[in-house]
Amino acid sequence: MNSPCTVLKGVGDRVAERLAHLGLNTILDLLFHLPLRYEDRTHIVPIARLTIGHSSLIEGHITKVQMRYGGKRSVVVTLEDDTGSVELRFYHFSAPQLRQLQIPNIRLRCFGELRWLGNQRGIVHPEYQIISTSDSFTASDHLTAVYPTAEGLSQTVLRKLVKQAFTILESSVNSLQEFLPLALLQQ
């Protein structure tokens, strides 16, 4: 458990440096890096049932992609399901990401907080994944942890590293050191 984080898959010098900014130097540190909160991504919410101020998992197909210029340049994607539509707005995007979103008949599964964007409902920078029309949704059987993070270290990376740390923990259950006092354990 006192092995450095660099033994984990995907942890090179750069990621190790970013983990160190959070005080995460060993596998044990990762195991005790507790989530700030949890998000419910266990079911898809129809777009028409989205509520302002709440984060939800949605799925639909893209009906329109456009560049908007104004105070900030942004890409606005209209996502639609059988119940309605919602705008997804990206202020930080790459050319490959824009090309990917413009593929005809593309389907997205997104997670983010619905808010008012001017007079329109929308989600700014949702987490998303492209799915095929043949993909059937399998609900997650658990809530998704949201960890304290540092610049350049995404939630996805942290979740993968914590998952690896727990896998190592499970394989070494017999060699774990107990941190609680024996008197407390006997109560």
Side-chain angles (χ1 to χ4, degrees):
M1 291 297 117
N2 288 324
S3 300
C5 290
T6 52
V7 301
L8 299 173
K9 182 179 176 185
V11 180
D13 293 340
R14 183 177 289 165
V15 173
E17 183 180 318
R18 290 175 177 156
L19 288 169
H21 284 292
L22 294 169
L24 305 175
N25 300 301
T26 66
I27 292 173
L28 190 63
D29 293 337
L30 272 172
L31 291 171
F32 283 103
H33 189 60
L34 302 178
L36 293 168
R37 65 181 185 282
Y38 293 90
E39 296 173 336
D40 185 1
R41 300 179 187 206
T42 59
H43 64 283
I44 294 176
V45 176
I47 290 174
R49 291 196 21 222
L50 293 175
T51 308
I52 297 291
H54 292 280
S55 295
S56 303
L57 183 66
I58 59 174
E59 185 177 306
H61 64 279
I62 295 175
T63 57
K64 185 168 45 169
V65 178
Q66 64 187 92
M67 280 288 255
R68 289 211 183 139
Y69 300 92
K72 285 186 177 180
R73 180 180 75 142
S74 63
V75 171
V76 178
V77 174
T78 303
L79 189 72
E80 191 174 292
D81 68 6
D82 295 336
T83 67
S85 65
V86 67
E87 279 190 359
L88 310 177
R89 190 163 297 178
F90 300 91
Y91 292 103
H92 308 287
F93 57 91
S94 64
Q97 181 183 21
L98 179 59
R99 283 192 300 275
Q100 188 179 48
L101 292 171
Q102 292 173 325
I103 297 171
N105 301 320
I106 196 170
R107 291 189 60 78
L108 294 182
R109 188 170 295 142
C110 306
F111 184 84
E113 179 186 340
L114 185 71
R115 55 176 90 162
W116 287 108
L117 304 174
N119 61 352
Q120 188 80 8
R121 297 178 331 147
I123 302 173
V124 176
H125 287 288
E127 289 181 42
Y128 72 91
Q129 70 182 76
I130 294 173
I131 57 173
S132 74
T133 53
S134 62
D135 285 349
S136 61
F137 177 68
T138 52
S140 175
D141 59 350
H142 59 278
L143 298 176
T144 302
V146 177
Y147 294 98
T149 190
E151 185 177 338
L153 195 59
S154 71
Q155 288 295 321
T156 304
V157 169
L158 270 174
R159 288 180 193 127
K160 286 179 182 177
L161 296 178
V162 169
K163 186 175 182 178
Q164 286 182 62
F166 273 104
T167 300
I168 291 170
L169 173 69
E170 288 171 357
S171 67
S172 61
V173 166
N174 295 333
S175 64
L176 286 178
Q177 175 187 356
E178 179 58 64
F179 290 101
L180 293 174
L182 185 60
L184 185 61
L185 292 171
Q186 293 174 339
Q187 291 183 354

